[in-house]
Every structure is written in C-alpha cells, then in structure tokens.
Amino acid sequence: MFPAFAGPALLALAALLSSLGGAGFALAAPVHPLAVNAVRCLTAAGVSAVFFAADRRLPRLCFSTAWGGLCLALTTQLFALAAPLAGAGTATLLLNTSPLFVLLVQCAAQKKPPRSGQLQAAVLVIGGVAVVAGCRPGPWQGLAAGLASGACYAGVFLAGQGPKADPASAFFWGQLLAGLADLPFLAASQPLTWPARSWAAGLVLGLVQLGLCYRCMAKGLAITPPLTASLVCTLEPVLAPLWGLAAGQQLPGGFWLGTALVLAGILRQKAVSLPPPSTGGSAPAPAPNRGPR
C-alpha cells in the first residue's frame, strides 16, 4: 500500500527530470544536437534494457510498439533540433502542444467536430504559441521543429492505446532507433574532441531525462488518479524555462504570457477529455501513459 503522496511525488520528480531536456542541449553546445541525441538515446536504450532485465521480460515488437517507437524517435530528433534554435523553454512548450494534435486526430477519426471546450483549448494553445513566436525572434525552423515534435509526441500517446499497447517497449525501440539513426552525426562530430561538458550533458540526458524519468512516470501513473496525474505532469513546461534561465538564456516578458496561455489550453483540453465520474463505485480509469522525449 503506497502513501497518498507517493504517486504525485513520483510524477513531480518525472516532470522535473524531463524538463532538463532543453537546457541539457544548450549546455552541450557547440556539439551538433543530433550527435548529442545519439549519446542521449543510446544511453536511454541501455537504461530501458536494464529495466526490462529487472522485470524479467523482453521488449515486445508489434505494429503498436513499432509505430509508437517511430513516433518517439521522430519526437527526440525534432526536439533536439528545436532546443538550440528556439530555446529550452520554447522547445518544451511547443512539445507540450501534443494534446491539440491528439484532438485533431481523434476528431478526424470520429468524423465529429470538436466540442466547445475543446475549441476553447485549441484557441488558447494556438494563441499562446503565437505570442511566444512573436516575442522570441529567431530562426523559424526552431519553431517549426518544436511544433512538429508536438505532433509526433501525439503519435506516441495514440500508439499507447489499445489492448496490444506496451509503452515501455515503444520507448525502448524509439530510443534505439533514434540513437542508431544519429550515429553518422556522432561520428562526423569527432566525439573524442568534445568538451567534457558536452559528454556530461549527453550522458545525463540519457540516464536521467530519458531513463530514470520514464521509470518514475510509469510508477507514478499506476497509483495516481487521472486528474491529479494530468495536473502534476503539466509542471514540465513550467519548469523548463527555469532550467533555460540557469543555462544563461534570456526570456522576454511576453514568453511568460504565451506560456500561461498554452498551459491554460493544455489544462482545459485535459479537463474536457476526462471521462465522466463513475456512479457504480468502480475505480477511476488509469491515466494515459506518458513518457519523456
């Protein structure tokens, strides 16, 4: 029996660890971000393999885990490109627009227009992204890569649904695929000449931000009610700008307004997506599986 605070505490720790992503890539500069991502993802795949060994099972390979793994691999690639171009806080904020893309896919699949609450969430998210984009002049490619990472991250969530879904396996295959795909960038960057700081950033991102973070997330979601889990997980885009500030990045005042609008949209979307309360005394439905980029 776990104490009541154990689940939220694990999720808060996972959000804290996951929020390190953008700042980690900033600290790894001037090394190419995809070379750093190779170190990050291969290290994380090793951590996942250790967890599979501890659980005495092998990663499952089927359409669901392969599709989820591909989406995760693309998410990590795009986030790695967005972080140095758009900044740690902006990249994490754009990544967390994934609920908007989930909404678009679900509405298209069901051939139903979004409900009023969902439209409100979409307007808040789009407005917040527009404010952030307007107050942070820079390469448009960074904003595009950040939004694309949010779209791919939505694919990870969608692939995690259904009876054959196995998020842990999808994460492992995604980490392995991204790491192998980025090996040419790692070789071209002459890793023996990297500053010690860049190696440390890549290894910490793999061990902590993609490795330990997932374990905390999985354990926390298993013992936390859905609404509480959703609220705690929203800490990530709030914490990421603080790490960016620690890494020496400057954030204009408009960034915080845009961040507030996006967070309001994310929370609104999560609220309208929750199932109605059960009247039969059954336990609440489990929260959807989430995982780091």
Side-chain angles (χ1 to χ4, degrees):
M1 187 69 179
F2 294 95
F5 62 84
L10 285 170
L11 291 174
L13 177 59
L16 174 65
L17 298 178
S18 184
S19 68
L20 290 168
F25 279 102
L27 290 173
V31 176
H32 194 289
L34 292 184
V36 178
N37 197 51
V39 175
R40 177 176 77 138
C41 289
L42 290 176
T43 302
V47 173
S48 294
V50 170
F51 286 144
F52 275 112
D55 294 337
R56 296 184 179 180
R57 72 183 186 101
L58 295 174
R60 185 188 308 167
L61 182 59
C62 61
F63 177 80
S64 176
T65 58
W67 176 250
L70 176 61
C71 289
L72 180 66
L74 291 173
T75 299
T76 65
Q77 304 283 73
L78 291 163
F79 181 82
L81 293 173
L85 291 174
T90 303
T92 304
L93 186 67
L94 294 174
L95 176 75
N96 281 274
T97 60
S98 56
L100 177 61
F101 293 100
V102 171
L103 168 64
L104 293 174
V105 172
Q106 289 178 335
C107 289
Q110 297 172 359
K111 298 180 179 180
K112 293 181 179 179
R115 292 174 290 174
S116 61
Q118 294 171 325
L119 283 175
Q120 293 168 9
V123 169
L124 287 169
V125 170
I126 294 172
V129 170
V131 171
V132 170
C135 72
R136 257 195 91 85
W140 64 267
Q141 293 92 336
L143 297 174
L147 280 173
S149 71
C152 292
Y153 200 25
V156 177
F157 295 142
L158 293 169
Q161 308 299 314
K164 294 185 178 181
D166 184 2
S169 296
F171 291 142
F172 170 76
W173 295 121
Q175 293 159 356
L176 185 61
L177 176 60
L180 294 176
D182 286 342
L183 280 179
F185 294 94
L186 178 61
S189 69
Q190 300 179 336
L192 295 180
T193 66
W194 285 17
R197 185 180 70 175
S198 299
W199 270 111
L203 292 173
V204 169
L205 287 174
L207 289 169
V208 175
Q209 194 245 347
L210 281 188
L212 179 60
C213 172
Y214 167 72
R215 195 68 168 182
C216 293
M217 183 75 72
K219 295 292 186 181
L221 288 175
I223 56 176
T224 307
L227 179 56
T228 302
S230 295
L231 293 173
V232 175
C233 288
T234 310
L235 284 172
E236 181 186 349
V238 177
L239 294 169
L242 302 181
W243 292 115
L245 290 173
Q249 296 180 349
Q250 300 297 321
L251 298 175
F255 173 86
W256 300 105
L257 173 60
T259 298
L261 290 173
V262 173
L263 290 176
I266 292 171
L267 291 173
R268 180 60 176 153
Q269 168 63 17
K270 289 179 177 180
V272 298
S273 298
L274 287 173
S278 173
T279 57
S282 58
N289 287 289
R290 297 187 73 227
R293 285 91 29 225

